[in-house]
Amino acid sequence: MQDGSSRGVIRIMSKDISVLQKARAAYQPKLPVALRGGDIKIELGQATEPKYDRDEIKRLFPNTYGQPEVKIVAGEGSLNAEPLKIGVVLSGGQAPGGHNVIAGLFDALKAANPANTLYGFLKGPGGVIRAKYKEITAEIIDEYRNTGGFDMIMSGRDKIETLEDLQACEKNFADMGLAGLVIIGGDDSNTNAAMLAEYLRAKGSSTVIVGVPKTIDGDMKNDQIEASFGFDTACKVYSELIGNIERDATSAVKYWHFIRLMGRAASHVTLECALQTHPNISLISEEVQAKGTTLHEIVEYIVDVIVKRAENGRNYGVLLVPEGLPEFISDIKTMIDELSNILGKDEDFIRQLNDHSERLQYLSGELTDASARVYGSLPYAIQEVLLKRDSHGNVPLSQVETERLLIDLVHDRIKYLKKHEDKDFVKFSPLAHFFGYEGRCAAPSNYDADYTYSLGYAAAQVARAGMTGYTVNIQNTTKPADEWIAGATPVTLMLNMETRKGKRVPVIKKALVDIDGAPFAEFAKNREKWALTDAYTFPGPIQYFGPTEVCDAPTKTLALEKGV
Ligand code: FBP
């Protein structure tokens, strides 16, 4: 191991690291041209307004509403050159590239003034509320360059929500003399960032809040934000695994693989993996919702493909199902909404019931007949998970084994067909998989390594400019990094009002799969062919070294959205 101190040079480390990790530590992420030189300035655009609910949002954000869009360009400006103390926190689920956001932030701060200091708040927003932090040094940064995971400072799902939380933050920032806090998170965390920014402004605090768009789910994107970081790497990891399974399926010629993919609500991960690997069946929740498809109809569709493939001697195949599916199936969604309302009023009573059968009996009496039938038809384990809610009121869907539920229902239907409709030629040997945690902490692809480093670098400039209530963006990322454009979007521009836990609240609109968009159209155009033939493609592992078209390619989703 080498000794060194400058950017990208491997330091003596206390831990054993793999050969690839060693080589990867030396990778210097690419930056947009504007961020490469010494002189960087902020260019202000027009004042902004959100698309929806303007009056309500203006009333809730009187101090940060309507701020202009920002471009970060080369040139002499008035960015703060005094020594600054900046904090950073990782919020929510892990996503590849989180460490590079911090590395970009660190390098930009040190380039602006070596006396600038970066503090990492530990274990998520809870660390900000409780003032748990550590100084991030060059040694720490060099150990984590281009690595996956959030372990440098860890993450958490606490929310900075109550007045006490906000007051605690204000006090901690004042005690620390913090000029800014960079919050790396998804739609909910960036919404929280906007609320904290508004609160601090109202109190006359000088600490600014800057957000960075993160989530493997790929659902924090809009006209300004091209992609949430981590989506690229996670989809590439899952696609490698799916491709390997497809090869196994055509080699063993005897298994049907049912693969569930992470993504709490939107099906972007499933759609991207389908575009990368051409499996036989991919369920897209947003289409299921748009068509009002029932669970029974989904099972009929799957069985139809299985039977048709069996007619051609293909008793094997691969199916992708998004984690979020249950909440998009009309009859299950209605049942979950009814359960949420019942939990809203009777949660304590339900929790103190003795066992599952008492809970089932009570809920069967409270749900409508149709929902009671749907709830009663689900396996015990799923019934219990559907009674849980996280701090944002979401059902923890990563614990719902939808792939196994589908296998059971398909199995029953095939048994029936064999017995009553002469379909004895169908052989159904299913295997269940869930790919989620396998990809969330993967070492970032070149795309994510470059994108996140640039996001961190941009966040430092916005904080130095004393701008608050912004989420940074890097645009034009389907082009070479030389043509990337750095900027920042006022969070109020991205907000709309939604009802959560019975209350109308401002939130950044989640980007679901657009079934009128180019990525879905590409899938829909091909799915029949993919269903009946073996049109599988095998993306292989993420490549870090080699030709640009292999190493730096963006996701198919982004390429199709941008028409490249
Ligand atoms: P974020 O939206 O916070 O980035 O998290 C995404 C995610 O990976 C989802 O895909 C998944 O449902 C969830 O986190 C699982 O999180 P946890 O392991 O905390 O239950």
Side-chain angles (χ1 to χ4, degrees):
M1 225 173 286
Q2 286 172 277
D3 188 8
S5 56
S6 63
R7 249 164 48 183
V9 175
I10 303 163
R11 296 185 152 261
I12 291 176
M13 294 175 219
S14 52
K15 292 181 196 158
D16 287 343
I17 61 168
S18 68
V19 179
L20 177 64
Q21 214 178 320
K22 225 185 255 186
R24 203 56 192 153
Y27 176 73
Q28 182 56 52
K30 304 176 204 76
L31 278 173
V33 173
L35 300 180
R36 288 181 203 163
D39 287 332
I40 295 173
K41 68 174 184 182
I42 295 284
E43 229 173 55
L44 297 182
Q46 301 289 322
T48 59
E49 291 216 86
K51 264 195 199 145
Y52 312 99
D53 310 313
R54 288 183 182 161
D55 292 343
E56 267 171 294
I57 293 166
K58 193 171 187 173
R59 188 170 46 74
L60 291 167
F61 295 86
N63 296 285
T64 49
Y65 184 88
Q67 301 193 97
E69 287 213 56
V70 156
K71 264 203 182 136
I72 305 168
V73 295
E76 260 180 57
S78 55
L79 295 186
N80 202 336
E82 297 298 306
L84 294 175
K85 292 179 178 172
I86 301 289
V88 62
V89 63
L90 292 158
S91 178
Q94 284 68 256
H99 289 151
N100 266 26
V101 177
I102 303 178
L105 180 60
F106 179 89
D107 289 345
L109 289 173
K110 292 292 180 189
N113 185 340
N116 284 341
T117 322
L118 181 63
Y119 295 99
F121 287 94
L122 306 176
K123 297 189 188 169
V128 182
I129 298 168
R130 292 182 279 279
K132 298 279 181 229
Y133 58 88
K134 70 177 180 192
E135 184 180 337
I136 298 189
T137 60
E139 282 72 22
I140 295 175
I141 288 290
D142 285 349
E143 195 175 328
Y144 286 97
R145 286 182 195 277
N146 307 308
T147 59
F150 279 6
D151 43 319
M152 184 200 292
I153 52 174
M154 299 160 282
S155 187
R157 289 200 182 274
D158 291 313
K159 264 173 99 177
I160 300 170
E161 190 172 35
T162 64
L163 182 61
E164 291 75 43
D165 296 342
L166 294 165
Q167 285 169 339
C169 291
E170 185 193 357
K171 178 176 180 317
N172 297 339
F173 299 161
D175 290 350
M176 292 171 74
L178 211 63
L181 172 68
V182 175
I183 298 183
I184 303 171
D187 49 346
D188 285 331
S189 307
N190 275 273
T191 301
N192 273 187
M195 291 164 110
L196 180 57
E198 175 64 29
Y199 176 83
L200 294 171
R201 265 275 169 89
K203 290 286 170 182
S205 159
S206 59
T207 310
V208 300
I209 306 295
V210 182
V212 177
K214 167 235 71 163
T215 175
I216 63 154
D217 294 1
D219 56 11
M220 190 176 165
K221 61 177 176 182
N222 49 42
D223 293 344
Q224 292 76 29
I225 296 169
E226 287 189 353
S228 55
F229 80 74
F231 175 68
D232 182 89
T233 309
C235 288
K236 283 173 178 162
V237 172
Y238 304 143
S239 295
E240 180 203 350
L241 299 176
I242 294 163
N244 293 350
I245 284 179
E246 289 173 340
R247 276 267 196 238
D248 198 284
T250 48
S251 307
V253 291
K254 62 179 178 182
Y255 293 124
W256 260 95
H257 296 270
F258 280 44
I259 305 171
R260 176 165 49 111
L261 291 161
M262 239 185 198
R264 186 193 299 286
S267 309
H268 296 294
V269 173
T270 298
L271 181 57
E272 172 64 22
C273 292
L275 293 169
Q276 287 196 31
T277 63
H278 307 178
N280 307 106
I281 302 174
S282 303
L283 303 171
I284 301 298
S285 308
E286 290 80 349
E287 183 186 28
V288 166
Q289 183 173 50
K291 293 186 171 162
T293 314
T294 63
L295 183 57
H296 173 75
E297 288 165 338
I298 290 174
V299 172
E300 287 294 301
Y301 166 64
I302 298 170
V303 169
D304 184 54
V305 173
I306 291 174
V307 171
K308 283 188 178 140
R309 285 181 64 81
E311 281 167 356
N312 291 320
R314 294 191 171 111
N315 280 301
Y316 58 88
V318 173
L319 170 147
L320 305 185
V321 51
E323 174 182 272
L325 182 72
E327 284 196 303
F328 288 76
I329 300 175
S330 55
D331 41 359
I332 295 190
K333 166 88 174 108
T334 306
M335 181 266 292
I336 289 178
D337 287 348
E338 285 181 28
L339 276 180
S340 295
N341 288 336
I342 297 168
L343 286 169
K345 60 182 177 57
D346 297 338
E347 184 162 10
D348 292 343
F349 173 74
I350 293 167
R351 300 261 171 256
Q352 56 83 43
L353 290 172
N354 282 327
D355 57 19
H356 175 70
S357 62
E358 281 192 14
R359 283 191 284 280
L360 183 58
Q361 198 184 1
Y362 178 75
L363 290 167
S364 304
E366 294 293 305
L367 290 163
T368 57
D369 287 351
S371 290
R373 258 197 313 279
V374 176
Y375 188 69
S377 71
L378 298 173
Y380 157 88
I382 294 184
Q383 288 176 346
E384 286 293 301
V385 174
L386 292 181
L387 298 182
K388 296 182 188 169
R389 297 291 180 274
D390 72 7
S391 61
H392 297 277
N394 301 310
V395 178
L397 286 173
S398 60
Q399 295 171 31
V400 176
E401 297 188 316
T402 315
E403 70 286 14
R404 290 187 195 278
L405 172 68
L406 290 176
I407 284 174
D408 286 351
L409 296 172
V410 166
H411 224 149
D412 288 351
R413 183 70 187 140
I414 289 177
K415 244 196 246 161
Y416 176 90
L417 292 179
K418 282 178 171 224
K419 199 162 164 202
H420 300 282
E421 294 189 17
D422 207 16
K423 302 271 190 240
D424 226 24
F425 58 91
V426 180
K427 310 266 178 294
F428 182 58
S429 297
L431 290 172
H433 313 262
F434 171 42
F435 297 154
Y437 299 100
E438 292 79 352
R440 284 205 318 186
C441 281
S445 59
N446 281 357
Y447 176 92
D448 268 330
D450 298 345
Y451 184 51
T452 49
Y453 188 77
S454 301
L455 286 168
Y457 222 92
Q461 315 311 330
V462 177
R464 286 176 66 215
M467 310 198 70
T468 196
Y470 279 84
T471 298
V472 284
N473 61 54
I474 301 291
Q475 298 174 345
N476 227 16
T477 62
T478 51
K479 302 268 167 52
D482 279 358
E483 296 171 47
W484 289 10
I485 300 162
T489 306
V491 184
T492 53
L493 168 64
M494 302 185 280
L495 293 176
N496 74 156
M497 300 298 291
E498 287 178 19
T499 304
R500 297 264 176 105
K501 292 192 200 162
K503 260 179 73 184
R504 234 173 123 67
V505 289
V507 284
I508 293 176
K509 203 166 169 48
K510 220 182 241 318
L512 299 177
V513 167
D514 176 6
I515 57 170
D516 295 320
F520 185 82
E522 177 67 16
F523 160 72
K525 190 175 83 191
N526 288 296
R527 68 173 139 189
E528 241 174 82
K529 181 176 76 198
W530 296 350
L532 302 183
T533 61
D534 293 352
Y536 308 131
T537 44
F538 313 104
I542 292 175
Q543 300 295 314
Y544 299 106
F545 311 100
T548 292
E549 68 271 23
V550 179
C551 299
D552 297 341
T555 56
K556 299 217 178 276
T557 302
L558 187 58
L560 286 160
E561 281 170 350
K562 297 286 169 199
V564 293

